[in-house]
Amino acid sequence: GTSFAGQYRSELNVSRDNLLHAYKEVVASKYALPAMTYRLNRGIRDEDIAMSVGCMAMVNAASSGVMYTRNPMDIRDQSIAINAVWGLAKSVVDGTVIPDLFVVARGIPLAIQHKEIQVKERKFVCYPDEGVCRLDLTGESAGQPSLTDQQALELAEMGVRIEAHYGSPQDIEWAIDAGG
């Protein structure tokens, strides 16, 4: 019943030389104010929380975002919501950009029920060696959809399979690289 989503620090595009330092930063975030407040508000004792740190290869995302396999505000709503931006999902997760929204209706086949394409004024990209950079978007790309309809449907299909595997609604971060 608790997810701790967004409570701990994330480090993006870390070099091999700085991996240990990034690990320590993530572990230390267990004691950051938001994480401690989250635990206290739910009556969870510090000693009852084990913490692990995941480390994976970075995807240099052309577009990315967050997908909810059920509406987090109305569990009876069976639709799949996909939030998408250009570049890394950092701006979706931290709320600094209003993402594109694709709402996919369940059924056979899945179908796009609704979409809202936003003007996205910035994106985050990976530096070649380490770290991320914020770039301002100008011109046509800022107003273009960050996903094609086909990509949104493929993501929704993956979301349905992941939800079936875990047996409950899922909040999934995803990324698509330049190669698709």
Side-chain angles (χ1 to χ4, degrees):
T2 55
S3 71
F4 292 86
Q7 299 301 311
Y8 302 128
R9 183 179 178 104
S10 292
E11 293 286 337
L12 302 176
N13 201 28
V14 176
S15 71
R16 184 177 302 273
D17 292 342
N18 291 319
L19 201 55
L20 182 59
H21 175 74
Y23 167 80
K24 290 177 181 179
E25 290 288 328
V26 173
V27 170
S29 71
K30 179 180 178 186
Y31 299 102
L33 186 58
M36 291 175 62
T37 302
Y38 184 87
R39 289 193 302 272
L40 289 171
N41 286 338
R42 285 161 181 76
I44 301 170
R45 298 179 322 156
D46 179 62
E47 55 269 21
D48 293 336
I49 296 297
M51 184 176 180
S52 63
V53 176
C55 179
M56 60 186 77
M58 187 75 194
V59 173
N60 193 5
S63 63
S64 60
V66 176
M67 172 173 38
Y68 300 95
T69 62
R70 303 285 170 107
N71 183 335
M73 303 308 220
D74 181 4
I75 198 68
R76 292 177 304 277
D77 181 353
Q78 298 286 312
S79 61
I80 300 156
I82 302 170
N83 294 292
V85 293
W86 292 116
L88 301 171
K90 178 177 173 29
S91 60
V92 175
V93 175
D94 69 18
T96 58
V97 168
I98 299 172
D100 294 338
L101 172 65
F102 294 80
V103 179
V104 178
R106 292 177 187 254
I108 301 173
L110 295 170
I112 294 178
Q113 176 179 325
H114 174 77
K115 61 183 170 179
E116 297 173 15
I117 306 306
Q118 305 295 330
V119 174
K120 296 159 290 297
E121 297 175 347
R122 65 189 64 85
K123 71 176 180 176
F124 287 91
V125 297
C126 293
Y127 275 124
D129 294 327
E130 179 174 60
V132 296
C133 172
R134 187 184 90 181
L135 299 176
D136 291 333
L137 292 173
T138 58
E140 282 186 30
S141 66
Q144 294 294 317
S146 49
L147 283 179
T148 65
D149 288 357
Q150 184 60 37
Q151 287 171 323
L153 292 170
E154 288 174 16
L155 282 167
E157 176 60 37
M158 286 184 235
V160 168
R161 290 196 322 258
I162 292 168
E163 180 183 88
H165 175 79
Y166 287 106
S168 63
Q170 299 294 304
D171 169 347
I172 302 163
E173 283 192 47
W174 58 268
I176 299 173
D177 69 10

